Short mmCIF file of all heavy atoms in Angstrom, two decimals:
data_model
loop_
_atom_site.label_atom_id
_atom_site.label_comp_id
_atom_site.label_asym_id
_atom_site.label_seq_id
_atom_site.Cartn_x
_atom_site.Cartn_y
_atom_site.Cartn_z
N SER G 65 42.82 34.33 8.82
CA SER G 65 41.52 34.56 8.07
C SER G 65 40.68 33.32 8.48
O SER G 65 41.24 32.38 8.86
CB SER G 65 41.76 34.70 6.54
OG SER G 65 42.13 33.41 6.05
N LEU G 66 39.41 33.39 8.06
CA LEU G 66 38.59 32.22 8.35
C LEU G 66 37.62 32.07 7.28
O LEU G 66 37.16 32.95 6.60
CB LEU G 66 37.96 32.33 9.73
CG LEU G 66 36.89 33.24 9.91
CD1 LEU G 66 35.65 32.52 10.69
CD2 LEU G 66 37.31 34.40 10.80
N ALA G 67 37.16 30.78 7.04
CA ALA G 67 36.13 30.41 6.10
C ALA G 67 35.34 29.36 6.71
O ALA G 67 35.86 28.48 7.47
CB ALA G 67 36.84 30.12 4.75
N VAL G 68 34.11 29.16 6.18
CA VAL G 68 33.27 28.00 6.56
C VAL G 68 32.83 27.21 5.33
O VAL G 68 32.44 27.83 4.34
CB VAL G 68 32.07 28.53 7.39
CG1 VAL G 68 31.12 27.41 7.63
CG2 VAL G 68 32.48 29.26 8.62
N LEU G 69 32.99 25.98 5.38
CA LEU G 69 32.43 25.09 4.25
C LEU G 69 31.27 24.35 4.87
O LEU G 69 31.33 23.91 5.95
CB LEU G 69 33.49 23.99 3.89
CG LEU G 69 34.87 24.42 3.41
CD1 LEU G 69 35.56 23.21 2.82
CD2 LEU G 69 34.80 25.50 2.29
N PHE G 70 30.17 24.45 4.11
CA PHE G 70 28.95 23.75 4.54
C PHE G 70 28.86 22.52 3.53
O PHE G 70 28.70 22.69 2.33
CB PHE G 70 27.70 24.62 4.36
CG PHE G 70 26.54 24.21 5.24
CD1 PHE G 70 26.13 24.93 6.35
CD2 PHE G 70 25.87 22.98 4.82
CE1 PHE G 70 25.01 24.44 7.13
CE2 PHE G 70 24.77 22.59 5.62
CZ PHE G 70 24.26 23.29 6.69
N VAL G 71 29.08 21.36 4.02
CA VAL G 71 29.07 20.12 3.13
C VAL G 71 27.74 19.22 3.30
O VAL G 71 27.43 18.95 4.41
CB VAL G 71 30.32 19.26 3.52
CG1 VAL G 71 30.38 18.07 2.59
CG2 VAL G 71 31.59 20.09 3.52
N ASP G 72 27.06 19.14 2.30
CA ASP G 72 25.85 18.30 2.44
C ASP G 72 25.97 17.12 1.28
O ASP G 72 26.18 17.44 0.17
CB ASP G 72 24.63 19.14 2.07
CG ASP G 72 23.32 18.45 2.33
OD1 ASP G 72 23.00 17.48 1.57
OD2 ASP G 72 22.62 18.75 3.30
N LEU G 73 25.83 15.88 1.78
CA LEU G 73 25.97 14.81 0.82
C LEU G 73 24.82 14.82 -0.19
O LEU G 73 23.67 15.11 -0.06
CB LEU G 73 25.94 13.48 1.56
CG LEU G 73 26.97 13.24 2.72
CD1 LEU G 73 26.88 11.91 3.25
CD2 LEU G 73 28.39 13.62 2.13
N ASP G 74 25.24 14.36 -1.34
CA ASP G 74 24.19 14.24 -2.45
C ASP G 74 23.76 12.68 -2.46
O ASP G 74 24.63 11.93 -2.47
CB ASP G 74 24.77 14.56 -3.81
CG ASP G 74 25.00 16.01 -3.98
OD1 ASP G 74 24.47 16.91 -3.25
OD2 ASP G 74 25.99 16.42 -4.83
N GLY G 75 22.49 12.50 -2.52
CA GLY G 75 22.04 11.14 -2.67
C GLY G 75 22.09 10.29 -1.54
O GLY G 75 22.06 9.14 -1.53
N PHE G 76 22.18 10.87 -0.26
CA PHE G 76 22.30 10.02 0.95
C PHE G 76 21.01 9.33 1.25
O PHE G 76 20.96 8.27 1.68
CB PHE G 76 22.74 10.93 2.15
CG PHE G 76 22.80 10.15 3.41
CD1 PHE G 76 23.72 9.31 3.63
CD2 PHE G 76 21.87 10.31 4.46
CE1 PHE G 76 23.80 8.51 4.74
CE2 PHE G 76 21.78 9.71 5.58
CZ PHE G 76 22.85 8.65 5.72
N LYS G 77 19.90 10.10 0.84
CA LYS G 77 18.54 9.43 1.15
C LYS G 77 18.42 8.10 0.31
O LYS G 77 17.89 7.14 0.76
CB LYS G 77 17.44 10.38 0.68
CG LYS G 77 16.08 9.94 1.13
CD LYS G 77 15.04 10.85 0.69
CE LYS G 77 13.60 10.22 0.79
NZ LYS G 77 13.41 9.07 -0.04
N ARG G 78 18.91 8.18 -0.94
CA ARG G 78 18.95 6.99 -1.64
C ARG G 78 19.65 5.92 -1.12
O ARG G 78 19.17 4.74 -1.20
CB ARG G 78 19.43 7.41 -3.11
CG ARG G 78 18.79 6.61 -4.24
CD ARG G 78 19.31 7.00 -5.59
NE ARG G 78 19.25 5.89 -6.42
CZ ARG G 78 20.10 5.72 -7.37
NH1 ARG G 78 20.82 6.74 -7.76
NH2 ARG G 78 19.99 4.76 -8.18
N VAL G 79 20.83 6.16 -0.50
CA VAL G 79 21.52 5.15 0.24
C VAL G 79 20.76 4.54 1.34
O VAL G 79 20.68 3.23 1.44
CB VAL G 79 22.92 5.65 0.75
CG1 VAL G 79 23.64 4.64 1.59
CG2 VAL G 79 23.83 6.10 -0.42
N ASN G 80 20.15 5.38 2.05
CA ASN G 80 19.33 4.91 3.18
C ASN G 80 18.19 3.95 2.64
O ASN G 80 17.92 2.96 3.28
CB ASN G 80 18.79 6.04 3.98
CG ASN G 80 19.43 6.37 5.28
OD1 ASN G 80 20.16 5.37 5.72
ND2 ASN G 80 19.35 7.48 5.65
N ASP G 81 17.45 4.42 1.65
CA ASP G 81 16.40 3.77 1.08
C ASP G 81 16.91 2.37 0.52
O ASP G 81 16.18 1.32 0.66
CB ASP G 81 15.74 4.53 0.01
CG ASP G 81 14.94 5.66 0.51
OD1 ASP G 81 14.87 5.87 1.72
OD2 ASP G 81 14.57 6.53 -0.36
N LEU G 82 17.99 2.38 -0.12
CA LEU G 82 18.59 1.14 -0.88
C LEU G 82 19.14 0.21 0.00
O LEU G 82 18.93 -0.99 -0.08
CB LEU G 82 19.59 1.71 -1.92
CG LEU G 82 19.36 1.13 -3.34
CD1 LEU G 82 18.00 1.66 -3.84
CD2 LEU G 82 20.47 1.75 -4.28
N TYR G 83 19.92 0.62 0.96
CA TYR G 83 20.71 -0.29 1.84
C TYR G 83 20.17 -0.32 3.26
O TYR G 83 20.75 -1.10 3.95
CB TYR G 83 22.18 0.11 1.72
CG TYR G 83 22.90 0.11 0.49
CD1 TYR G 83 22.98 1.29 -0.28
CD2 TYR G 83 23.33 -0.99 -0.21
CE1 TYR G 83 23.50 1.31 -1.59
CE2 TYR G 83 23.93 -0.96 -1.39
CZ TYR G 83 24.02 0.26 -2.17
OH TYR G 83 24.67 0.30 -3.34
#
Side-chain angles (χ1 to χ4, degrees):
S65 73
L66 72 132
V68 174
L69 305 187
F70 200 112
V71 183
D72 188 290
L73 301 184
D74 293 336
F76 179 67
K77 188 184 167 294
R78 211 174 145 206
V79 172
N80 259 339
D81 290 350
L82 229 59
Y83 301 97

